[in-house]
Amino acid sequence: MSVSKQYVEVAVCVPLEKTFHYEVPPAFCDLIEKGHRIWVPFGNQQVTGYVLDFLPPPSHISPKKILHILDVLDDIPVFPENMIPFFRWIARYYFHPIGEVVRGGLPNGINAATVQTISLTEKGDDLQKKRGGNHVESRILDTLKKNGTLTLRKLDRCMGCFVTRSVIYRMARSGSLSITRNIKPGSVTPKWEWYLSAKKGADTPTRLSDARLRLLNVIKTSQETSIKALKKIIPSASRLARLMAEDGLVEMVRRPVYRDPFGEPIEADISAPQLTAEQEKAVLEIRRGIEREKFETYLLHGVTASGKTEVYMRATADALERGKEALVLVPEIALISQTERCFRARFGNCVAVLHSGLTGGQRYDQWMRIRRKDVRVVIGARSAVFAPFDNIGVVIVDEEDDDSYKQESGLRYNGRDLAIVRAKYAGAVALLGSATPSLSTYHNCLGEKFQRLVLPNRVRKQVLPAVTIVDLKKKEDRSRDVWFFSDELKEAMKTTLDRGEQALLFLNRRGYASFPMCARCGSAFRCKNCDVTLTYHQKANAYRCHYCGFSRSATSACEVCGSDKIILLGLGTEKVENALKKLFPKARVDRMDRDTTSRKGSLLKHLKEIRKGSVDIVVGTQMVAKGHHFPGITLVGIVCADTSLNFPDFRAAERAFQHLSQVTGRAGRGDQPGRVILQTYNPEHFCILTASDQDYDGFYEKEIPFRKDLGYPPFTRLIQLIFLADEQKKSFAGASLVGNAARKLRGIDGTLRKEITVLGPVYAPLSRLKRKYRCQLLLKGSTSGSLHAMVEKLLKETQKDLRKAGVKMIVDVDPVSML
């Protein structure tokens, strides 16, 4: 009796949009499920694939041409079946290969790879002895004879030169050497430890050494114990365990263990605080949404310190009570620690974390804890939106307006938008929270697409900090060394320190000087890979590029005239830190930016020191501007409020307002009232005035007419096409090619002509980054559907010509940065 063959649809880890069909060998039929990672042949190589669906025998392909699955790589699927429609949506919306979408959502390092090894055959051995073949072939045979089986890379190293692969393949065909392809596991694998337990029924010998007797007593008391833990009590436990296992006194078993990402225990929070009337109203509305088990989106719009985190935890508790799961996104790793501590205190060990600050092993372990249903709450940065839950009740996005939710390379997704889509596919509640929501989100509330929940007051009846605006244009008498500190700010810092309170100084620019310039010829120090000036970092004693990492020694002379007289213009957090140490030598100053928090564990150390009160003045960039709760900070000084206003981006005013409003909210969150000194060269700008008053509605009313008149979001949708090439002319020619094709499509399609505007091509504001010249084309459309239809046609018509011309086109859907 013949058994019907089984076929699967597979997304492979290659940059191709379509999926592929494979036949399942009978041995794997009972093992394979949707969501499994598998090992499949693809062309002349073998790659990782993901099972998306089971299919009937395909009619358009001959069964003889369908390849077989080689192996199943996991005991359980790495993602649940209900995530597959989510992955398909992402691939379509962001024009990204679905195999790459799935791989990008999984922990780094788990995918396997193919390793080719070559070895000498009997025929090759005979040729080597006879010195047969040409010179290169003889050297290869000699090398293999001497070193045995080698990978291609090791062969190159042993030969001292690159060996052309065609030579290897020709020798393999002639039979003088053989090529073997092996699966190399991913760099991240489960962690295993040995555990020890007393053997049941074994009699304790009357004569045992003191160390062995002590070891036996410990494991009898605590039952099964890891040898790693035993070694802390008995240093020789590892050796003794092996000997005692041989004697039949104990049993050793190897078990997988999870690598702990948390670091320190958290005391349980058994009593939740009393809710305010506004919080109670918001919690009740969200609870009703969760109970309906129907997709809805809420905006929790609350001023700083209004208790949004407590609302998040109540929503999470409601989801867990209904047997569902909760996904919590925060924009930056700097905020994850604080959020994770709150949730662990309330919900205990059912909380997992996912973010790039974890080691590969820790991230893998957290993923498998989620997949095996050991946890029901996940907290993480944007990539946590791919957490493998299959019964989500609520998806929470804290600080939903933050640009960090946008991935700017590879799959260019927005974590906030994907969170809403994830909730939609799960039939769950999406809860967005912010004190300064994005204009698009607020506009959706006004259009009743989202429901707005308002927290207008701080908890515990705290008042918002008083804001003093200082006009830097009028401060002509300030000293040259500390021109960036007004008298008002210096006096406020002195008063704050005298009272034993903490101060926070905000400047969204790291480094010491952002514009080093030659004093003789006026030339700026520029990056050799990018069209930007280098930033001087005093501690590193170097000029650095913040885009590609290029660095020059601080002793470098001007490349134009050779002069060593360099003027350090501009301002950064490092210069502010140095000035504070001179002004207040007894104060404990701490700087928080990417330079000081890049090492593993350093960020948590900084935050812990601030919370303990071991720091008097904190200097920081936007990583300290939002979300943090520092009760001891009563003064916030905004060194220069204009740094975000002058960017060539239609969202510049919105970003400036958000940064200023958020950092203002760090003051006065404890028992003492707060104060803010806001220094600016534009004191009359509506962005400055509304931020100082914490007046979001006022800012919206001022900004939204500009967006409407210019036809920018939230009134339109955008897709940005970025063209990269080694030469400037090539980049612009590629952009012109696609631009002409887009205008031609508009000319022949009445719908596209009516709904889409084509802007460009133009050189990007940062016209060269990482040795690539960049041009841009901007497509504006009244609907997402028309934009996607045009881009699909453009990709089909122009991709081949662009590849021939050496131009790479990046499709950025809903771009955040226009640089």
Side-chain angles (χ1 to χ4, degrees):
M1 181 176 177
S2 63
V3 179
S4 61
K5 294 182 179 179
Q6 193 175 58
Y7 298 89
V8 287
E9 179 190 10
V10 177
V12 295
C13 290
V14 294
L16 295 174
E17 295 179 11
K18 63 179 181 178
T19 56
F20 298 87
H21 296 168
Y22 285 89
E23 183 179 332
V24 182
F28 297 147
C29 286
D30 294 334
L31 300 176
I32 200 164
E33 297 177 50
K34 295 179 185 179
H36 255 125
R37 285 188 313 142
I38 56 176
W39 191 243
V40 295
F42 192 82
N44 62 354
Q45 58 182 327
Q46 297 162 359
V47 297
T48 301
Y50 309 100
V51 178
L52 302 183
D53 203 357
F54 290 93
L55 302 171
S59 58
H60 62 289
I61 307 175
S62 170
K64 294 181 180 180
K65 293 184 178 180
I66 299 179
L67 301 176
H68 292 69
I69 290 172
L70 301 175
D71 201 359
V72 179
L73 300 178
D74 302 287
D75 58 339
I76 62 173
V78 289
F79 55 86
E81 179 181 342
N82 65 4
M83 284 187 70
I84 295 172
F86 179 57
F87 287 134
R88 292 189 193 274
W89 184 92
I90 294 170
R92 289 193 307 269
Y93 188 77
Y94 289 105
F95 299 97
H96 205 75
I98 188 168
E100 299 288 318
V101 169
V102 179
R103 180 169 66 174
L106 299 178
N108 290 334
I110 71 169
N111 285 323
T114 302
V115 176
Q116 295 186 72
T117 56
I118 55 175
S119 56
L120 210 58
T121 62
E122 290 185 11
K123 181 179 179 180
D125 192 32
D126 292 339
L127 281 173
Q128 191 270 337
K129 292 175 182 176
K130 297 175 182 177
R131 298 292 174 181
N134 62 38
H135 175 66
V136 174
E137 293 179 353
S138 292
R139 286 191 60 201
I140 292 172
L141 295 174
D142 289 344
T143 304
L144 292 174
K145 179 72 174 179
K146 181 179 178 182
N147 297 280
T149 301
L150 294 173
T151 64
L152 293 177
R153 184 174 295 181
K154 286 184 179 179
L155 177 66
D156 292 340
R157 195 177 301 130
C158 293
M159 296 276 289
C161 63
F162 176 77
V163 180
T164 307
R165 295 331 185 215
S166 60
V167 174
I168 300 294
Y169 299 143
R170 184 173 65 246
M171 293 176 69
R173 284 195 297 271
S174 70
S176 59
L177 55 81
S178 65
I179 300 177
T180 305
R181 292 181 174 88
N182 299 310
I183 299 176
K184 178 185 178 183
S187 58
V188 177
T189 55
K191 183 179 179 180
W192 297 81
E193 285 187 8
W194 286 100
Y195 281 76
L196 202 64
S197 61
K199 192 167 185 177
K200 294 180 181 179
D203 296 328
T204 304
T206 55
R207 298 183 65 181
L208 272 182
S209 68
D210 291 342
R212 295 191 184 196
L213 187 62
R214 187 182 176 196
L215 179 65
L216 203 57
N217 289 334
V218 170
I219 61 176
K220 282 182 176 179
T221 302
S222 57
Q223 296 181 343
E224 191 175 78
T225 310
S226 72
I227 291 180
K228 183 179 180 180
L230 288 170
K231 287 172 71 174
K232 295 179 181 179
I233 305 170
I234 306 170
S236 59
S238 180
R239 179 179 61 84
L240 292 175
R242 288 194 299 271
L243 295 173
M244 293 172 71
E246 291 173 1
D247 294 340
L249 296 175
V250 297
E251 291 182 336
M252 292 177 64
V253 60
R254 193 166 175 253
R255 300 194 186 284
V257 296
Y258 291 129
R259 286 154 277 214
D260 182 19
F262 296 115
E264 59 182 32
I266 300 293
E267 290 186 14
D269 177 14
I270 57 175
S271 59
Q274 182 72 33
L275 297 178
T276 65
E278 293 92 351
Q279 286 177 312
E280 188 70 55
K281 183 178 179 181
V283 168
L284 183 60
E285 190 60 47
I286 297 165
R287 181 180 299 139
R288 288 171 180 163
I290 294 173
E291 289 173 351
R292 285 191 289 267
E293 296 189 358
K294 183 181 178 182
F295 167 63
E296 292 185 63
T297 304
Y298 296 92
L299 168 64
L300 185 63
H301 188 179
V303 298
T304 54
S306 59
K308 292 186 287 296
T309 301
E310 183 60 34
V311 176
Y312 300 154
M313 289 196 286
R314 298 296 178 99
T316 298
D318 288 337
L320 297 186
E321 285 175 9
R322 297 189 63 82
K324 293 185 175 293
E325 300 145 340
L327 179 57
V328 184
L329 303 186
V330 293
E332 295 189 14
I333 297 175
L335 294 175
I336 290 177
S337 170
Q338 177 177 279
T339 305
E340 162 247 306
R341 289 171 65 90
C342 293
F343 275 75
R344 282 173 61 207
R346 185 74 56 86
F347 301 109
N349 292 329
C350 74
V351 178
V353 291
L354 285 175
H355 57 80
S356 60
L358 303 179
T359 65
Q362 288 172 341
R363 188 175 174 86
Y364 174 85
D365 288 348
Q366 293 293 295
W367 185 274
M368 296 313 294
R369 285 183 71 206
I370 301 164
R371 193 68 197 97
R372 293 192 168 101
K373 300 184 184 298
D374 295 336
V375 299
R376 297 171 63 200
V377 180
V378 167
I379 300 168
R382 61 177 177 250
S383 61
V385 75
F386 297 103
F389 277 148
D390 58 9
N391 191 23
I392 295 176
V394 62
V395 181
I396 297 167
V397 185
D398 189 27
E399 308 295 353
E400 64 86 25
D401 58 289
D402 200 292
D403 289 349
S404 298
Y405 282 120
K406 176 70 172 180
Q407 171 81 16
E408 293 290 357
S409 61
L411 173 59
R412 295 182 170 233
Y413 68 92
N414 190 306
R416 176 202 60 201
D417 298 343
L418 286 194
I420 296 172
V421 176
R422 184 84 194 268
K424 183 177 181 179
Y425 275 105
V429 163
L431 177 58
L432 315 179
S434 180
T436 55
S438 66
L439 262 68
S440 295
T441 297
Y442 192 76
H443 188 75
N444 283 331
C445 291
L446 297 182
E448 299 184 354
K449 189 174 181 180
F450 299 167
Q451 186 173 340
R452 183 175 176 236
L453 308 172
V454 185
L455 302 179
N457 302 303
R458 286 186 161 188
V459 296
R460 295 193 297 147
K461 298 181 180 180
Q462 297 166 322
V463 296
L464 291 169
V467 180
T468 301
I469 297 177
V470 177
D471 187 355
L472 291 177
K473 295 194 300 293
K474 297 180 179 179
K475 301 298 175 181
E476 301 291 344
D477 58 341
R478 58 187 179 274
S479 66
R480 182 172 180 176
D481 289 339
V482 287
W483 59 267
F484 40 86
F485 290 158
S486 63
D487 293 337
E488 292 88 342
L489 181 55
K490 286 188 286 187
E491 184 60 34
M493 283 192 289
K494 183 178 182 303
T495 303
T496 300
L497 295 175
D498 290 343
R499 290 201 296 252
E501 298 165 357
Q502 293 175 303
L504 167 65
L505 264 61
F506 170 73
L507 178 66
N508 202 24
R509 185 169 289 163
R510 61 190 175 101
Y512 186 88
S514 57
F515 195 82
M517 184 182 75
C518 176
R520 178 183 293 174
C521 70
S523 299
F525 273 38
R526 306 189 74 82
C527 175
K528 72 173 185 178
N529 303 319
C530 310
D531 187 22
V532 294
T533 57
L534 299 173
T535 298
Y536 175 63
H537 289 254
Q538 188 180 63
K539 187 174 181 179
N541 199 31
Y543 303 105
R544 287 180 175 169
C545 175
H546 289 174
Y547 291 92
C548 72
F550 171 73
S551 180
R552 286 181 63 185
S553 169
T555 58
S556 301
C558 174
E559 291 186 332
V560 177
C561 69
S563 173
D564 60 356
K565 294 182 180 180
I566 310 301
I567 303 173
L568 300 174
L569 302 177
L571 184 61
T573 50
E574 201 174 12
K575 184 181 284 189
V576 172
E577 178 191 24
N578 288 357
L580 286 171
K581 289 178 177 179
K582 291 179 182 179
L583 280 173
F584 306 103
K586 295 183 179 180
R588 296 165 296 179
V589 181
D590 188 28
R591 173 165 54 95
M592 279 187 65
D593 54 28
R594 196 177 300 175
D595 296 328
T596 62
T597 60
S598 57
R599 289 188 178 181
K600 183 174 175 60
S602 59
L603 175 60
L604 295 180
K605 183 179 178 182
H606 283 278
L607 295 174
K608 188 175 181 180
E609 292 298 310
I610 296 169
R611 282 196 296 264
K612 282 170 47 182
S614 302
V615 175
D616 298 316
I617 305 176
V618 183
V619 181
T621 55
Q622 68 182 47
M623 69 165 53
V624 296
K626 60 172 64 177
H628 294 290
H629 180 65
F630 300 133
I633 291 178
T634 58
L635 172 69
V636 167
I638 300 172
V639 178
C640 185
D642 313 296
T643 52
S644 300
L645 271 175
N646 299 319
F647 278 87
D649 194 317
F650 70 90
R651 290 191 179 92
E654 181 181 3
R655 289 197 184 99
F657 172 82
Q658 289 164 347
H659 287 156
L660 299 178
S661 298
Q662 291 279 5
V663 76
T664 294
R666 297 316 103 201
R669 299 170 72 95
D671 297 328
Q672 302 302 318
R675 184 185 178 192
V676 178
I677 307 295
L678 191 157
Q679 300 182 156
T680 177
Y681 287 98
N682 297 280
E684 302 301 323
H685 196 288
F686 74 90
C687 170
I688 303 294
L689 295 174
T690 52
S692 65
D693 293 335
Q694 295 279 294
D695 181 10
Y696 182 87
D697 289 338
F699 171 76
Y700 180 85
E701 290 173 4
K702 291 282 188 181
E703 175 71 8
I704 205 69
F706 296 120
R707 299 286 183 90
K708 189 173 184 179
D709 290 343
L710 296 172
Y712 279 113
F715 299 100
T716 59
R717 305 296 291 270
L718 300 180
I719 293 182
Q720 185 181 32
L721 305 179
I722 305 167
F723 300 87
L724 309 179
D726 295 332
E727 299 176 14
Q728 194 173 46
K729 290 181 179 179
K730 285 184 179 181
S731 173
F732 194 82
S736 299
L737 171 70
V738 177
N740 292 336
R743 291 183 171 89
K744 184 178 178 181
L745 285 173
R746 285 184 76 249
I748 61 177
D749 189 319
T751 302
L752 296 181
R753 184 166 59 250
K754 181 180 178 181
E755 295 186 358
I756 293 179
T757 302
V758 181
L759 300 178
V762 296
Y763 290 113
L766 297 177
S767 61
R768 187 169 178 257
L769 281 181
K770 300 178 182 179
R771 298 188 177 183
K772 296 292 183 181
Y773 290 94
R774 307 165 73 243
C775 280
Q776 296 177 350
L777 199 68
L778 191 65
L779 307 179
K780 292 199 298 185
S782 55
T783 65
S784 176
S786 60
L787 277 174
H788 277 68
M790 173 175 271
V791 173
E792 284 177 10
K793 292 177 181 178
L794 289 175
L795 288 171
K796 290 178 181 178
E797 292 183 10
T798 63
Q799 279 290 75
K800 188 175 181 180
D801 292 333
L802 288 174
R803 280 195 295 268
K804 286 182 179 179
V807 179
K808 180 181 179 181
M809 182 172 74
I810 296 173
V811 180
D812 190 357
V813 182
D814 302 325
V816 167
S817 173
M818 307 302 291
L819 299 181

